[in-house]
Amino acid sequence: MIRSMTGYGEASSHVGDVHYFLEVRSLNSKYFKTLIRMPDEFQGLEAEIESRLRARVARGSITVKAACTDASARAARTINHGALDAYVDQLRQAAAIASGDIAIDLSALIALPGVLQDSGNEEERLAQARQNFLTLLDRACEGLVEMRKAEGRALSADLAHHRDVIADRLTTILDRSPAVIRDFEARLKQRIEQLFDDAGMRPEAADLMREVAGYAEKTDIAEETNRLQGHIEQFTLLIEGRADVGGAGEGKPIGRTLDFLAQEMLREANTMASKSSDVELSRAIVEIKGAIDRIKEQVQNVE
């Protein structure tokens, strides 16, 4: 089963007075890249979160947002009274030198460096946050993957439709190709006979056969149609999840392989177009190229 690269998942939990929240979003990208936004005190968890994400998601631009709200008393930071007294003493000395009074704003004092310090339980808070955020990440990724699978089913149906168009038009080409040579032979024979009748001569059958053989060789698309048939078969195996791509199993990325196959199919279609002068064949090839272009657009969304 193919998966889209677009998805969303979120999870939250309460542990006592602490509320944890985490969301994961993914968008299309050629490669795997992440943007992780954690609260400042928990930024040390980013590397572990990215590693956990890589185990669940192979391609896409992934954004992780995490938040933590602590309503307990332990969330309060400790006032460093020594630092606060030192600032107050310096302000008083400055006031004495200036021979005037200086208004002291307590909120401004608290914001000075070193006045507010951690309460001493940071390791415990970090350990608790790590456990909860990683659990939430797993739950959010489950939602993300399910959404990717749902969109992947829609993508698979659309890709299968365009593949069927290509296969149908290819059948038309295979059925029509022998008649193109016969039609050319009939027209050429009629034209040559007319010319020779006007000149009072008889055409040589060998000359006619050489012309027909040369035209048949120049317009032969058997090799291209065979390769296109092979690409269609492999394409079908991939979108139905029946192909082993480089040892990949269920849920492994196939987007790049599908993109490569689409390019190869387009190459064969272009070669057939350059060899064909028949209107019906040209029309079928144009429709094949249109379906391939739509496939190329859609596979950019496939993981």
Side-chain angles (χ1 to χ4, degrees):
M1 177 189 296
I2 69 174
R3 301 195 307 201
S4 166
M5 279 191 283
T6 304
Y8 175 82
E10 66 175 41
S12 63
S13 66
H14 278 88
V15 180
D17 294 323
V18 184
H19 176 248
Y20 296 96
F21 174 80
L22 185 141
E23 70 172 20
V24 183
R25 299 173 182 267
S26 69
L27 298 173
N28 298 350
S29 177
K30 240 180 174 181
Y31 308 102
F32 174 87
K33 60 181 181 180
T34 59
L35 175 61
I36 301 175
R37 297 172 177 169
M38 301 289 293
D40 291 343
E41 63 267 36
F42 303 134
Q43 286 183 357
L45 302 175
E46 290 183 4
E48 191 168 359
I49 286 177
E50 180 174 344
S51 177
R52 188 75 66 98
L53 275 172
R54 284 184 180 274
R56 301 294 297 271
V57 178
R59 289 179 70 199
S61 177
I62 316 297
T63 300
V64 178
K65 292 182 181 179
C68 174
T69 304
D70 191 346
S72 65
R74 66 177 186 173
R77 303 182 73 183
T78 302
I79 296 177
N80 183 343
H81 292 283
L84 182 60
D85 290 343
Y87 282 125
V88 171
D89 288 343
Q90 292 179 59
L91 287 171
R92 286 173 176 166
Q93 292 173 18
I97 294 172
S99 300
D101 295 330
I102 295 179
I104 297 177
D105 184 349
L106 187 58
S107 62
L109 281 176
I110 291 177
L112 291 172
V115 176
L116 285 182
Q117 295 185 341
D118 294 330
S119 56
N121 58 354
E122 284 67 36
E123 289 187 8
E124 179 185 346
R125 292 183 69 232
L126 181 60
Q128 182 176 329
R130 175 184 179 277
Q131 177 183 351
N132 284 279
F133 277 134
L134 291 180
T135 300
L136 294 182
L137 179 65
D138 289 338
R139 287 167 49 193
C141 281
E142 288 175 5
L144 176 81
V145 169
E146 284 305 313
M147 182 176 288
R148 282 179 154 213
K149 286 181 178 179
E151 292 197 13
R153 287 190 287 271
L155 279 173
S156 181
D158 190 60
L159 291 172
H161 167 70
H162 297 312
R163 175 217 48 203
D164 292 342
V165 170
I166 296 170
D168 179 73
R169 303 305 182 272
L170 184 57
T171 299
T172 299
I173 291 171
L174 291 172
D175 292 342
R176 173 64 182 160
S177 293
V180 171
I181 305 300
R182 292 194 298 269
D183 290 347
F184 173 78
E185 181 179 3
R187 291 195 306 271
L188 181 63
K189 183 177 181 180
Q190 182 181 8
R191 191 178 307 140
I192 290 177
E193 287 178 347
Q194 180 65 46
L195 291 172
F196 274 72
D197 284 345
D198 292 343
M201 303 171 60
R202 290 183 57 84
E204 294 290 336
D207 293 334
L208 177 62
M209 292 305 298
R210 276 196 296 272
E211 289 294 326
V212 173
Y215 178 80
E217 183 177 358
K218 185 175 66 173
T219 60
D220 180 29
I221 56 174
E223 186 177 349
E224 289 77 14
T225 55
N226 285 337
R227 281 201 294 261
L228 185 54
Q229 283 179 314
H231 294 331
I232 292 172
E233 291 171 4
Q234 187 178 4
F235 188 86
T236 299
L237 293 176
L238 284 167
I239 65 175
E240 293 180 357
R242 296 187 287 123
D244 186 15
V245 184
E250 171 71 20
K252 294 299 182 179
I254 60 171
R256 292 180 190 172
T257 305
L258 290 175
D259 189 32
F260 174 77
L261 268 180
Q263 293 178 31
E264 292 302 304
M265 287 193 285
L266 187 59
R267 187 196 307 275
E268 305 304 338
N270 285 331
T271 304
M272 287 192 291
S274 68
K275 290 183 176 183
S276 176
S277 58
D278 180 72
V279 173
E280 188 175 343
L281 288 185
S282 296
R283 184 182 299 115
I285 293 170
V286 166
E287 292 180 8
I288 285 176
K289 291 173 67 175
I292 294 172
D293 280 340
R294 286 186 282 276
I295 285 175
K296 286 177 63 66
E297 291 174 3
Q298 287 289 48
V299 296
Q300 303 307 313
N301 302 318
V302 177
E303 183 181 16

